[in-house]
């Protein structure tokens, strides 16, 4: 069947900002889909509000709209671009929901738009719980039993439910978790009673709980001819009850017999065919003792399909896009072998293990995991055995798991960690093995199949025999099992880098095997590789190529933005005629797409694995600037192991000088560059003393931090003492710096060649200094920085470039008070804001930086903004029940959106994505005078103002009409919480005391805003900016390049 | 314990031995199936061959006797990367190591199996030994010259088995898999006959079926079977799978050839040009497409074009294994289609 010629201009919808449960994997699938469709000659228009994505690049799509993902925006784009088809399966739930909304709004019919790929009817059937239940019933496919407890028939209904664990649901979800578990009838009775007491519902829905069963997923592809294949299956090591995004997952399944494997495969194909899927989808099963249940179907590409694509080498999204274009599976060439077809099922001759990356090193929240996703990213380890894959995955996490697998806890606490799902369960099982805990009991309590624990025991058995004080004689054997040098180091006490050096000397080196989808049965063209310690090496000739390391798992402060840089850098190298090598461990990325680089090494981003590749390939250079803080932290170690320099761009010595807070501050002083007053403290007492000398509030900073960890504004002495103690557990010295109040922070990205520089752009934070630059709302636009400040920034950049011989990209954070410019931080690498500024300026800064790194001189240029671009952060508050919604120097956001406008109000208004007719104002006393102007503007625009008692009186005293609302403790009506719950309030302006302790009052208000999606403005400056954007503001949606032209 | 895998091109691979300490010999082939290790090991089509598992993880779930495709392990040696020895015994009363020892089959673990797979892919199948005594290895005779079918059979002679259908099939057993017979019995009753029996003496059957089996279909020992099929073409419906398809094609006057390294795995796509089926393959020989006789080739392998299904008014055969085991069940319609055609021929 030839490609469809009834469609020409296709709109691909992206997934928007990175949030928990919907992240970089959709940049990967979206980019693949765009490229795949363009390859077929279609004109591809992309909509995504996330500027950090690679898909919002003109190399990926013909036309790019970085605009809100709304019905209104899509309708305008359809008109402007003459769209005749929409591909909504590549942008997660966001895109899928939008497609359904477009259909309901009649827009698809009105414009004659075709949804390509899986039809909307199939999406609805798979997504609507009721319809899907009926559908499975008709197919006679097993699913968890369902019961209802009716209010009027309570006793009888309860009696009819088996006395086993069940999940209790109401017609609305309790706190967004999807349901609560009742372990037995007694618990169920009391839970149901309490629901009927508290809520006005007629019935409670009860589902049989599948907790504890094996959870198995299949990735399925079906074409429009009805041909259906499974790309692979995946086995969750954590049993049912833990979200698959939170589970450790192995591909292919390890403990399923052929009978079980095929039973689930048969069911998957029956269901997917029954649903009429045309493209990719994911189906999840629970399996226990030969019986299975269907959990759900995702009728689109997903996190799992990205993982499956990387685990098998079968590019699901690319193939799904071809299917959407009309092709059959047997007509599509397998892009990895280039001599077989997409109609086959990959066979794997290796094992992959995925481990989620949780933000518990950043957030002090409950570490139990379950049906609600809390992880931000993930890593994948590939090995020839489960042991090897698991150890590589752990090494990739870039947290304490990577350096030690022991847990120093009491036996009882260990058993508790084994039983209750949490991020450290895998470590607890390891530790249990070291303590000879009973394997059967650990298996029973954790739900891990005994097989996996036996395999883990193979690791423990060999580690146990390592002596302290020397490099083990059986090093080769340890490496064959897959144990990283870091872990060996933690047992023998010899530094890991020394072990690595020794290995190279003794030629104890890995070989590289290829991922080929076919277990070696066919010749493979593409070098997609992983290391293992075996006989045959399949590494191609990569001499004189340049290696780029990625940033590992997405986590708070280090995510998609760095992948953008990596991919753009590879493309730049290719254009310049260099061969490129990519090394990364994150399956959710575009950089780990085997099509991007000349050779892909799917390996942990740690010195050991990087050095191995450098030695084996004799590559000529290493780029670390797109690896985030990870690269900065390990660049020096890599060169020390090699005994020579290899890092391109700013040298490792200069990176060290920039990274060391103390040296850096002293250097600034010698350059006569302003910085907040600081002192260096060597211990706890010294810290307190120096802090008091500088005067509170102060900020404590230690070297080598990611996203400002161990950093906080400190207002009171008691807390200062506590924090000083904490800091010295991770650091030898600490920089105590004065917190600049009432200053404006700015982010300056620049490219330089060691002497010349170009400023990419200056992003101005709307919030005062002190809010982490990753969390702040920022503006790029004409005249947002005054001329004097701009000149001072240029002078500072110039002297920093020369002093630190900065080559490539750098990011400077400054605080501006009046016309004084204070340097807060310099990073000699690509930054989080770089993709944003690249999109906002239309300049390929990464290419210019790579050219500098490769030795070309920079031709300085000056870029003037011609439109406004607002960067808005998104936060994971709704996922963490116990986390307060306050901002500070510790970063909390997971992602960002960009909203462009010809005017600032237009840009800001886009970020709201709704009409605002009423605003609640509740601000602390010192902010009251500053809120007046905002309130006046709101009043002029006819917006209803609600305020809490104090604020209300203040506003009325100043001639602004405000309706008073009351807190719970006031025992008066109307209550804030009632109005918020009923949806009567469209926006909340709330400022809190910055000191800890005083933040609890507003907790419930803020939490309710988050849960109900009410815009919450927590900063006076931001409130003022938003006030202008409310009311009658005309919105226009434009191709990104239109914003770059100066309006005539 | 150290054990050696020695191939005819002189390659010596060292691994750790398990299973029986005897020396094993055979044609080295690989399967890319990721599940069903016990089904594969007991598949009679592997007689004369030593099996390399491309999937590194073997014996990763319990051994269960119920899934054996014949009464014994039929490969003459097992080559693995990471066979697991510590699982509970399942219904077989012993772990994997013990099981292979009891079966008298040598095995070697810790081998770079991907290297061997790639070697076979590039150079074709290889003859090889698994041995503890590398000095003893001298010549490499071709196992395909032997009468492998006789070795593959668990029992010989003629026996009647009642199934879920009135129609009776003359089931010529060249080393059939248990699942194949079970699938047939879902639709038919069978008269199972080994190739050495007097096929002409059997009557009262509605159709003929030729099973899977090991080795070269043009082996002299199979001449009488080919001749018997030739006589019955057009008179009774004739069906077959795998080796059976090759025998039937030979009866039409087609030729078969030895493939470079064959198809063995659970992921091979075959297509009629529109529909695609993922099928299980286990064959080292195939029908020469230039010698197609008086029948139609209705399905081919998507990747290399191998003849996968042949049909005529009274004949239907597939090169793949619709009974699967191990592998996908996409083509189990083949059995009901045989039933339909048998019914139609009777009327």
């Amino acid at each position: 069947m030839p490609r469809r010629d009834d469609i020409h201009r296709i709109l691909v919808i992206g997934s928007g900002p990175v949030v928990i449960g919907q992240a970089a994997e959709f940049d990967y699938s979206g980019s693949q889909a765009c490229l795949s469709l363009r390859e077929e000659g279609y004109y591809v228009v992309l909509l995504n509000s996330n500027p950090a994505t690679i898909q919002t690049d003109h190399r990926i799509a013909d036309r790019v709209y970085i605009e809100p993902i709304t019905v209104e925006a899509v309708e305008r784009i359809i008109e402007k671009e003459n769209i005749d088809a929409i591909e909504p399966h590549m942008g997660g739930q966001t895109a899928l929901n939008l497609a359904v909304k477009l259909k309901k709004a009649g827009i698809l019919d009105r414009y004659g738009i075709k949804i390509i790929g899986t039809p909307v009817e199939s999406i609805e059937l798979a997504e609507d719980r009721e319809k899907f239940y009926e559908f499975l019933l008709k197919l006679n496919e097993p699913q968890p039993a369902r019961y209802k407890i009716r209010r009027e028939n309570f006793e009888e209904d309860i009696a009819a439910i088996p006395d086993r664990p069940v999940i209790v649901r109401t017609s609305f979800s309790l706190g967004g978790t999807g349901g609560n578990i009742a372990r037995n009838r007694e618990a169920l009775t009391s839970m149901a009673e309490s629901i009927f007491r508290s809520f006005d519902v007629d019935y409670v829905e009860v589902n049989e709980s599948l907790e504890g069963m094996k959870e198995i997923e299949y990735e399925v592809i079906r074409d429009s001819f009805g041909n259906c294949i499974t790309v692979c299956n995946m086995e969750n090591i954590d049993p049912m009850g833990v979200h698959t995004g939170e589970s450790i997952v192995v591909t292919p399944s390890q403990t399923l017999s052929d009978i079980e494997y095929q039973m689930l495969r048969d069911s998957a194909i029956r269901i997917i065919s029954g649903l009429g899927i045309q493209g990719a989808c994911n189906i999840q099963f629970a399996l226990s003792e030969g019986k299975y249940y269907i959990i759900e179907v995702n009728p689109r590409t997903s996190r799992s399909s990205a993982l499956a694509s990387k685990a098998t080498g079968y590019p699901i999204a690319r193939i799904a896009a071809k299917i959407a274009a009309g092709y059959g599976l047997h007509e599509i060439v397998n892009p990895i072998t280039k001599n077989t077809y997409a109609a086959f099922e990959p066979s794997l001759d290796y094992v992959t293990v995925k481990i989620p990356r949780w933000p518990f090193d950043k957030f002090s929240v409950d570490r139990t995991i379950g049906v609600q996703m809390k992880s931000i990213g993930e890593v994948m380890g590939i090995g020839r055995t489960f042991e090897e894959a698991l150890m590589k995955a752990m090494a990739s996490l870039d947290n304490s798991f990577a350096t030690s697998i022991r847990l120093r806890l009491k036996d009882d606490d260990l058993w508790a960690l084994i039983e209750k799902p949490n991020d450290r369960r895998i470590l607890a099982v390891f530790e249990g093995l070291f303590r000879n805990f009973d394997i059967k009991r650990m298996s029973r309590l954790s739900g891990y199949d005994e097989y996996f624990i036996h395999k883990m025991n193979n690791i423990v058995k060999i580690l146990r025999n390592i002596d302290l004080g020397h490099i083990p004689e059986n090093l080769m054997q340890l490496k064959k099992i897959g144990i990283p040098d870091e872990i060996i180091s933690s047992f023998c006490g010899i530094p890991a880098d020394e072990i690595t050096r020794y290995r190279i000397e003794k030629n104890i080196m890995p070989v590289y095997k290829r991922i080929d989808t076919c277990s070696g049965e066919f010749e493979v063209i593409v070098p997609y590789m992983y290391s293992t310690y075996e006989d045959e090496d399949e590494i191609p000739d990569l001499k004189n190529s340049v290696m780029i390391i990625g940033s590992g798992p997405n986590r708070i402060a280090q995510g998609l933005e760095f992948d953008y840089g990596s991919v753009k850098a590879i493309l730049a190298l290719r254009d310049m005629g260099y061969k490129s090598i990519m090394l990364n461990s994150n399956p959710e990325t575009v950089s780990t797409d085997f099509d991007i680089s000349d050779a892909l090494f799917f390996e942990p981003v740690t010195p050991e694995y990087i050095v191995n590749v450098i030695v084996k390939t004799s590559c000529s250079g290493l780029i670390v600037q797109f690896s985030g803080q990870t690269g900065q932290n390990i660049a020096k170690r890599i060169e020390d192991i090699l005994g020579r320099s290899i890092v391109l761009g700013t040298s490792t010595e200069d990176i060290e000088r920039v990274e060391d807070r103390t040296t850096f501050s002293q250097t600034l002083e010698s350059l006569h560059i302003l910085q907040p007053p600081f002192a260096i403290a060597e211990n706890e007492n010294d810290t307190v003393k120096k802090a008091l000398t500088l005067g509170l509030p102060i900020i404590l900073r230690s070297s080598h931090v990611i996203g400002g960890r161990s950093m906080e504004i400190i207002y009171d002495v008691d807390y200062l003492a506590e924090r000083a103690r904490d800091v010295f557990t991770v650091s030898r010295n600490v920089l105590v710096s004065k917190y600049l109040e009432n200053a404006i922070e700015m982010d300056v990205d620049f490219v330089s060649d060691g002497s010349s520089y170009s400023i990419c752009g200056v992003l101005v934070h709307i919030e005062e200094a002190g809010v982490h630059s990753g969390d702040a709302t920022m503006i790029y636009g004409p005249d947002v920085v005054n001329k004097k400040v701009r000149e001072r920034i240029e002078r500072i950049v110039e002297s920093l470039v020369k002093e630190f011989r900065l080559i490539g990209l750098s990011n400077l954070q400054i605080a501006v008070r009046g016309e004084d410019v204070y340097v807060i931080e310099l990073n000699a690498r690509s930054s989080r804001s770089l993709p944003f500024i690249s999109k906002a300026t239309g300049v390929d800064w990464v290419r210019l930086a790579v050219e500098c790194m490769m030795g070309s001189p920079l031709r300085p240029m000056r870029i003037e903004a011609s439109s406004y671009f607002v960067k808005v952060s998104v936060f994971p508050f709704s996922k963490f029940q116990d986390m307060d919604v306050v901002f500070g120097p510790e970063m909390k956001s997971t992602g960002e959106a960009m909203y462009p406008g010809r005017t600032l109000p237009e840009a800001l208004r886009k970020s709201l994505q709704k009409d605002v007719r009423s605003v609640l104002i509740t601000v602390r006393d010192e902010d009251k005078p500053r809120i007046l102007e905002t309130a006046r503007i709101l009043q002029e625009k006819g917006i209803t103002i609600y305020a809490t008692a104090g604020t209300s009186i203040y506003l009325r005293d100043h001639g602004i009409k405000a309706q008073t609302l009351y807190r719970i403790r006031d025992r008066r009506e109307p209550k804030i919480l009632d109005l918020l719950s009923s949806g009567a309030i469209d926006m909340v302006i709330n400022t809190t005391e910055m000191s800890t302790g005083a933040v609890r009052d507003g907790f419930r208000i803020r939490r309710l805003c988050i849960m109900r999606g009410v815009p919450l403005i927590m900063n006076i400056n931001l409130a003022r900016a938003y006030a202008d954007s409310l009311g009658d503001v005309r919105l226009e949606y434009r191709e990104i390049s239109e914003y770059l032209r100066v309006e005539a | 314990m150290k054990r050696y895998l020695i191939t005819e091109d002189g390659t010596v691979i060292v691994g750790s031995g398990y299973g029986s300490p005897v020396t094993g010999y055979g044609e080295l082939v690989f399967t890319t199936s990721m599940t069903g290790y016990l089904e594969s090991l007991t598949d009679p089509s592997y007689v004369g061959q030593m099996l390399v598992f491309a999937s590194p993880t073997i014996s990763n779930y319990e051994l269960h006797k119920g899934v054996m495709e014949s009464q014994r392990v039929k490969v003459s040696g097992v080559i693995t990367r990471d066979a697991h020895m510590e699982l509970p015994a399942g219904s077989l009363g012993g772990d994997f190591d013990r099981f292979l020892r009891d079966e008298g089959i040598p095995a070697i673990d810790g081998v770079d199996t991907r290297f061997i797979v790639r070697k076979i892919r590039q150079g074709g199948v290889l003859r090889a030994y698994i041995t503890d005594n590398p000095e003893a290895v001298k010549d490499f005779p071709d196992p395909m010259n032997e009468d492998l079918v006789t070795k593959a059979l668990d029992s010989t002679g003629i026996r009647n088995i009642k199934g879920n259908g009135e129609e009776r099939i003359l089931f010529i057993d060249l080393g059939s898999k248990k699942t194949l017979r079970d699938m047939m019995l879902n639709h038919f009753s069978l008269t199972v006959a080994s190739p050495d029996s007097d096929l002409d003496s059997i009557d009262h059957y509605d159709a003929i079926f030729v099973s899977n089996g090991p080795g070269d279909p043009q082996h002299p020992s199979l001449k009488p079977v080919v001749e018997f099929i030739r006589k019955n073409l057009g008179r009774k419906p004739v069906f077959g799978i795998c080796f059976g398809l090759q025998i039937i094609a030979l009866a039409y006057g087609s030729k078969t050839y030895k493939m470079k390294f064959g198809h063995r795995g659970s992921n091979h796509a075959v297509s009629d040009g529109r529909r695609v089926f993922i099928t299980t393959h286990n064959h080292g020989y195939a029908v020469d497409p230039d010698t197609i006789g008086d029948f139609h080739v209705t399905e081919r392998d998507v990747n290399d074009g191998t003849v996968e299904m042949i049909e005529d008014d009274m004949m239907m055969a597939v090169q793949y294994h619709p009974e699967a085991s191990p592998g996908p069940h996409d083509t189990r319609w083949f059995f009901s289609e045989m039933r339909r055609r048998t019914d139609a021929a009777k009327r």
Side-chain angles (χ1 to χ4, degrees), chain A residues 736-935:
Chain A
V736 186
S737 73
K738 176 91 181 125
Y739 167 60
L740 289 178
E741 283 173 293
N742 300 321
I744 294 294
E745 219 171 297
M746 298 183 192
D747 263 54
V748 184
D749 288 302
F750 57 92
V751 173
S752 54
D753 63 4
S755 56
S756 305
Y757 69 92
S758 294
I759 289 179
C760 312
V762 178
L763 286 174
V764 179
H765 298 206
I766 299 185
E767 294 90 348
E768 293 88 345
V771 172
H772 190 280
S773 68
D775 286 351
T777 309
M778 300 189 204
I779 298 173
Y780 173 74
D783 311 322
V784 294
V785 184
N786 84 33
K787 196 156 169 279
K788 185 92 184 175
V789 170
R790 167 103 196 180
E791 279 166 19
R792 287 193 169 156
I793 292 173
E794 282 169 5
R795 236 175 298 145
I796 291 170
V797 167
E798 180 161 15
S799 58
L800 290 174
V801 165
K802 290 192 170 137
E803 172 64 29
F804 294 104
R805 292 172 297 256
L806 298 171
I807 301 169
L809 277 160
S810 305
N811 163 265
L812 177 68
Q813 284 168 31
I814 52 176
V816 178
R817 199 157 60 182
E819 288 182 343
D820 291 336
V821 177
Y822 298 84
V823 167
I824 297 176
E825 197 176 307
L826 173 66
N827 292 302
R829 56 165 169 83
S830 175
S831 72
R832 259 186 313 279
S833 47
L834 186 83
F836 180 94
I837 204 71
S838 300
K839 304 288 160 70
T841 54
V843 176
D844 189 350
W845 296 110
V846 173
R847 167 184 306 258
L848 296 175
V850 170
E851 282 170 5
C852 293
M853 288 185 234
M854 300 311 292
S856 305
L858 178 75
R859 246 183 306 151
M861 57 174 170
R862 207 190 164 91
I863 300 291
E864 301 290 349
S866 41
S867 296
Y868 292 86
F869 300 87
V870 177
K871 178 174 183 265
V872 179
S873 299
V874 297
F875 297 90
F877 301 121
S878 65
K879 312 282 179 180
F880 299 97
Q881 297 298 309
D882 49 347
M883 182 188 220
D884 192 13
V885 188
V886 288
F887 306 118
E890 288 268 11
M891 183 167 162
K892 287 179 176 171
S893 64
T894 55
E896 65 189 272
M898 172 160 118
Y899 298 105
R902 274 302 191 184
T903 61
L904 186 56
E906 186 190 20
L908 281 170
R909 177 60 172 272
K910 282 179 183 171
S911 75
L912 290 175
Q913 300 189 16
K914 67 187 250 184
D915 266 346
V916 172
R917 296 206 175 76
S918 58
V919 175
L920 166 68
I921 303 177
T922 163
V923 294
R924 56 185 172 180
D925 286 347
E926 64 204 87
D927 286 334
K928 286 189 173 111
R930 293 174 60 214
I931 200 69
L932 278 179
E933 196 187 347
T934 301

Side-chain angles (χ1 to χ4, degrees), chain A residues 74 108 130 138 312 439 486 555 643 647 767 791 834 893:
Chain A
V74 169
L108 298 183
E130 284 305 316
K138 235 190 308 176
T312 61
I439 289 180
E486 286 278 7
R555 65 207 96 153
V647 170
E767 294 90 348
E791 279 166 19
L834 186 83
S893 64

Side-chain angles (χ1 to χ4, degrees), chain A residues 225-227 229 252 254-259 261-262 265-266 330 340-341 343-351 384-385 387 451 454-455 461 513-514 516 518-523 534-536 538, chain B residues 30 32 34-36 39 54-57 60-61 67 81-82 84 86-88 111-115 117-118 121 261-263 267-269 271 273-276 278 302-303 325-330:
Chain A
F225 306 97
N227 297 314
I229 61 145
Q254 299 290 297
T255 71
L256 261 55
S257 69
D258 185 60
I259 292 171
Y261 187 104
Q262 304 302 341
R265 184 183 175 280
D266 287 348
H330 55 298
T340 57
Y341 288 86
F344 82 110
E345 300 193 346
S347 163
L348 279 58
D349 57 3
Y350 51 86
V351 179
R384 285 275 283 163
T385 62
E387 292 89 325
Y451 173 78
H454 277 295
K455 297 296 261 180
K461 278 189 284 194
K513 299 280 187 197
R514 296 207 189 181
D516 60 8
C518 60
S519 289
E521 187 174 359
F522 302 99
E523 200 185 335
E534 278 192 325
D535 303 340
E536 191 194 26
E538 299 173 43
Chain B
F30 65 84
T32 60
M34 296 184 290
T35 50
E39 290 91 325
S55 167
T57 324
N60 39 334
Y61 56 87
V67 304
R81 167 65 180 88
D82 183 32
H84 190 67
E86 285 157 40
L87 273 187
V111 170
D112 185 347
T113 44
R114 181 172 167 87
F115 164 56
V117 168
R118 282 165 46 82
R121 184 192 80 217
F261 56 90
H263 291 172
N267 64 344
H268 288 262
S271 178
R274 186 177 167 82
R275 290 302 310 270
V276 178
I278 304 298
V302 170
N303 284 329
S325 194
H329 303 155
D330 293 14

Side-chain angles (χ1 to χ4, degrees), chain A residues 20 56 257 272 357 626 649 1001:
Chain A
I20 288 180
T56 48
S257 69
I272 299 319
R357 179 65 158 80
F626 304 103
D1001 264 357

Side-chain angles (χ1 to χ4, degrees), chain A residues 30-270:
Chain A
S31 299
Q32 281 223 326
C34 291
L35 292 170
S36 183
L37 291 171
R38 280 178 92 184
E39 211 170 70
E40 297 303 326
Y42 296 110
Y43 194 77
V44 174
V45 179
L46 182 90
L47 169 64
N48 195 349
S49 58
N50 185 346
T53 52
I54 191 73
Q55 65 180 239
T56 48
D57 189 288
H58 283 121
R59 242 172 131 141
I60 308 288
D62 293 291
R63 301 276 280 170
V64 174
Y65 283 80
I66 304 182
E67 297 282 4
I69 304 172
T70 59
V71 170
E72 190 192 334
V74 169
E75 186 170 5
R76 280 297 292 138
I77 295 168
I78 288 173
E79 286 170 353
K80 284 180 78 164
E81 297 288 346
N82 210 359
I83 298 294
D84 51 24
I86 293 181
E87 166 52 275
H89 307 96
M90 306 295 173
Q93 206 56 40
T94 302
L96 219 47
N97 290 348
L98 189 67
V100 173
K101 272 194 218 157
L102 288 168
K103 179 156 188 266
K104 288 202 173 122
I107 289 173
L108 298 183
D109 290 340
R110 193 176 323 141
Y111 294 91
I113 303 287
K114 299 187 177 75
I115 294 287
I116 58 169
T118 300
V120 177
E121 294 71 30
S122 305
I123 297 170
E124 283 172 332
L125 186 54
E127 300 254 314
D128 183 308
R129 276 192 340 134
E130 284 305 316
K131 285 186 191 164
F132 189 61
Y133 180 81
E134 294 299 325
F135 165 76
L136 290 182
L137 223 50
K138 235 190 308 176
L139 281 189
N140 215 3
E141 289 287 343
Q143 54 186 329
R146 276 184 167 197
Y147 312 93
K148 246 181 201 180
I149 306 172
R150 287 161 295 179
R151 192 186 277 273
E152 72 278 5
N153 208 24
F154 190 84
E155 301 284 327
E156 243 174 77
D157 285 348
I158 286 234
I161 299 172
D163 190 3
R164 282 204 303 265
V166 289
I167 298 171
V168 181
R169 286 200 173 90
T170 51
S171 44
F172 61 91
S173 217
L174 288 175
T177 57
N180 293 346
I181 287 184
R183 302 252 156 243
N184 50 38
R185 184 170 295 155
E186 200 184 325
L188 174 64
T189 310
S190 77
M191 201 179 283
E193 277 171 357
S194 125
I195 290 171
F196 284 129
R197 254 200 321 275
S198 324
F199 300 101
D200 183 25
V201 288
D202 295 332
Y203 67 91
V204 173
E205 198 185 305
V206 177
N207 282 8
E208 183 183 2
S209 167
L210 306 177
E211 227 193 3
M213 292 187 180
K214 268 184 196 173
E215 185 168 353
I216 311 286
E217 297 170 69
Y218 279 70
E219 290 305 313
V220 186
I221 295 192
R222 184 173 175 273
D223 67 19
S224 54
F225 306 97
N227 297 314
C228 194
I229 61 145
T230 61
V231 174
C232 69
N233 76 349
M234 298 184 235
E235 176 170 7
N236 290 15
I237 294 187
D238 296 279
M240 286 290 299
V242 175
H243 191 290
T244 174
E246 298 287 280
S247 186
I248 300 179
V249 176
V250 190
T251 304
S253 66
Q254 299 290 297
T255 71
L256 261 55
S257 69
D258 185 60
I259 292 171
E260 290 168 318
Y261 187 104
Q262 304 302 341
M263 171 177 74
L264 298 183
R265 184 183 175 280
D266 287 348
S267 167
I269 290 177
R270 275 194 301 271

Side-chain angles (χ1 to χ4, degrees), chain B residues 100-112:
Chain B
L100 289 179
R101 211 173 332 135
D102 291 349
E103 287 281 322
I105 303 299
I108 178 169
D109 192 51
V111 170
D112 185 347

